[in-house]
Amino acid sequence: PKPGRAPTERERSSPPASPAADAQRAETLTKQGMRALVQGKLRDAVSDLRGATRLAPNSPRAWRSLGLAYERLRRRAQAAHAYRRYLQLAPSAPDAATVRSRLRAL
């Protein structure tokens, strides 16, 4: 439903999204969030990337991007949380050392 509007009967009775649909939606939100991040639309980036991490909590890419968005907004605690989650999910990623450096610098 749209914000400020109660769900319709159809929306209330429709089955929850499938895991595949959630994964696809999370991927779309991650891409949108990364695009917003590059464009400097940081609040939009956070909104999209938070949605992505809710739908796909094990997506390293979404968590890393969310950390970057929070860092650019100077929301250090949230950036640290996102970076830590990224490192839990991808401790051996090619950029793990860089992310650890960013985390220490917060």
Side-chain angles (χ1 to χ4, degrees):
K2 291 181 180 179
R5 181 176 68 76
T8 65
E9 180 60 36
R10 181 174 171 220
E11 289 166 337
R12 282 193 299 270
S13 65
S14 61
S18 70
D22 282 350
Q24 182 61 40
R25 179 70 179 139
E27 180 62 24
T28 298
L29 286 170
T30 299
K31 288 178 183 176
Q32 285 176 198
M34 291 172 69
R35 193 169 26 258
L37 186 60
V38 168
Q39 294 171 349
K41 299 176 181 176
L42 302 177
R43 294 189 197 298
D44 291 343
V46 165
S47 178
D48 290 339
L49 293 164
R50 285 186 64 197
T53 61
R54 277 194 289 281
L55 289 170
N58 294 322
S59 169
R61 192 165 68 132
W63 284 106
R64 181 184 180 281
S65 299
L66 182 58
L68 286 169
Y70 278 137
E71 184 179 354
R72 290 186 187 165
L73 285 168
R74 294 186 173 94
R75 292 169 64 179
R76 290 174 179 85
Q78 291 99 330
H81 172 76
Y83 284 150
R84 281 191 207 101
R85 182 68 177 136
Y86 170 74
L87 291 169
Q88 285 177 338
L89 295 168
S92 302
D95 66 344
T98 301
V99 173
R100 285 186 188 93
S101 261
R102 294 182 88 97
L103 186 54
R104 281 191 299 273
L106 291 175

